[in-house]
Every structure is written in structure tokens, then in C-alpha cells.
Amino acid sequence: IEAIAFQVRDVFDAMVDESHCELPVLRADGGATRNDWLMQFQADILGRPVVRSSLEDLSALGAARLGGLTLGWWRSHADLATLPTETMRFSPRMQSVEREDRYLGWKLAVERARLQETQP
């Protein structure tokens, strides 16, 4: 389960680096978000709040509604305003030193795994 949080941080950090803007919160949905421990660990590893949606499949619903908007099924973005809001907010509790130590450990483990793949 920890690997999920570390992989999300890898992607989150890449998004921040590439967009050159700070992302203050992670909004999460999907089956794994049912795990409160994972959501708390994700907030701790990111050092940012994680906001869990009240709808498990919110991303799919949002994509479907945007598709409908593109196809003219809805007339405005206001029709998207009915998407569910957050149900729970997980705030980081881990100290930054521990956060970075754990993340460094993750990066080293990934590097070791990559090196083993290239060894005959």
C-alpha cells in the first residue's frame, strides 16, 4: 500500500516540476481511497492535504460529463457544478524530516530494483 502513495508522489512531484506551479492539495477518488490509512499516508508523504471525493468514481463521471459538454448534450460548464464534493480531508501529520527520509528510501529501493533488472 505504501508503494501506491510513493508512486503518486513521484507523479505529483513531476506535475509540479513540469507545470512550474504549486499544487496545494491532492483530490482523490477510486477504489483505493476507501482505505483511510492509505489516504493519511498519502497526505503525510506529499506534505499536503488529500481530499477524498464522496463519489468513488468521480474522475470517470467528470470525464463523461465533459464529453457530454463537448458533444453539446449540455450547454454550459454550469451543468458540471452538480459533481459531488469532498467527504473527508486528510491533513499531513508526518514531520518533514521523516517524510523525506521515507521518500529517499523509496527512491533508493526503486533504483536497486532497476539495477537488478539490468544485471545478467
Side-chain angles (χ1 to χ4, degrees):
I1 290 176
E2 289 181 3
I4 294 170
F6 287 124
Q7 289 175 44
V8 168
R9 175 161 173 191
D10 289 341
V11 173
F12 193 91
D13 287 353
M15 289 170 51
V16 169
D17 290 346
E18 292 298 318
S19 68
H20 304 290
C21 70
E22 220 23 63
L23 302 174
V25 65
L26 173 69
R27 298 194 177 274
D29 69 287
T33 64
R34 283 184 247 150
N35 187 318
D36 288 350
W37 186 90
L38 173 59
M39 295 294 93
Q40 182 58 57
F41 189 68
Q42 187 70 77
D44 289 338
I45 290 302
L46 285 175
R48 291 174 175 81
V50 172
V51 176
R52 177 172 51 200
S53 168
S54 61
L55 180 63
E56 194 173 291
D57 295 319
L58 183 60
S59 294
L61 179 60
R65 288 195 179 177
L66 285 172
L69 184 66
T70 301
L71 293 171
W73 295 349
W74 296 284
R75 292 196 173 114
S76 73
H77 290 283
D79 294 319
L80 301 176
T82 60
L83 290 173
T85 58
E86 69 184 74
T87 57
M88 190 166 215
R89 183 181 204 87
F90 298 85
S91 297
R93 297 187 294 215
M94 188 181 287
Q95 297 294 318
S96 60
V97 171
E98 180 181 357
R99 172 184 311 114
E100 296 311 314
D101 282 349
R102 286 181 177 228
Y103 188 57
L104 178 60
W106 162 255
K107 291 170 87 172
L108 292 172
V110 169
E111 187 58 33
R112 282 193 304 267
R114 285 184 178 154
L115 288 174
Q116 286 182 344
E117 285 181 358
T118 60
Q119 301 295 322

